Amino acid sequence: MNLYFEYGLPFAEIQLINNAKHVSLSKVLIDTGSGTTIISTETAIELGLDQKPNDEINLVSGIGGTETVYEKYVDKIVLDSISLYKFKVDVGAMLYSFEFDAIISSDLLKQAKAIIDFNEMTLTS
C-alpha cells in the first residue's frame, strides 16, 4: 500500500467492513507510537458499531491529551493487500488539532507483520 505525508506525518487509505457495511477512509494516520487503533464515533456508527452498555471503556493518552474510548471489533480491516479479521479497535471523538479519519497503531501493524519503507513510501506485509 502506498503512503503519503501530510502535516509531516505518514497517512494511508483503508477500508473497514462490518456486517456488510463498508467504509473507505482516505486520511488514516500511521502512528507507530500509538498502542491502539482508533476510529471515530461517526465511522463506528456508519459500521453499526454503536456504543452499548456492556462495552469496555478505556482512557487513551497521547500528545493530543486524554480521551475516553469504547472497544469494538470490526469484521474486516483492509490495507491494500493486507486483510485483518475480527480486529479490536477503540472508538472515540478524535478531536485533535488537525483532521484525519482514524489512527492505525502498533497493535494493527504488528498483527499485519507490517514493513514500513519511507524511502519507497510503502507499507507491506
Side-chain angles (χ1 to χ4, degrees):
M1 98 182 309
N2 291 322
L3 302 177
Y4 65 94
F5 272 97
E6 194 165 322
Y7 314 110
L9 299 169
F11 285 85
E13 297 180 9
I14 67 168
Q15 289 79 47
L16 303 170
I17 301 161
N18 196 70
N19 290 329
K21 296 178 182 178
H22 182 274
V23 174
S24 293
L25 302 176
S26 61
K27 200 170 188 179
V28 179
L29 176 65
I30 305 298
D31 186 356
T32 61
S34 179
T36 59
T37 294
I38 301 175
I39 64 173
S40 71
T41 306
E42 293 81 9
T43 298
I45 290 169
E46 283 184 63
L47 291 167
L49 298 171
D50 303 51
Q51 187 174 9
K52 304 287 187 232
N54 62 340
D55 288 338
E56 181 83 24
I57 304 293
N58 296 311
L59 285 176
V60 294
S61 297
I63 292 175
T66 301
E67 179 178 6
T68 301
V69 296
Y70 63 94
E71 292 181 6
K72 286 293 187 178
Y73 284 84
V74 176
D75 289 343
K76 185 177 181 182
I77 298 178
V78 180
L79 297 89
D80 199 29
S81 63
I82 303 166
S83 294
L84 299 172
Y85 298 89
K86 288 294 182 191
F87 193 82
K88 182 184 77 67
V89 297
D90 284 337
V91 178
M94 293 187 53
L95 301 174
Y96 302 111
S97 59
F98 56 91
E99 191 175 319
F100 52 95
D101 300 321
I103 299 172
I104 296 296
S105 69
S106 57
D107 60 345
L108 187 144
L109 296 169
K110 182 178 178 184
Q111 187 170 329
K113 298 181 174 96
I115 299 167
I116 299 171
D117 184 335
F118 286 118
N119 188 47
E120 297 293 323
M121 292 301 292
T122 58
L123 187 152
T124 58
S125 180

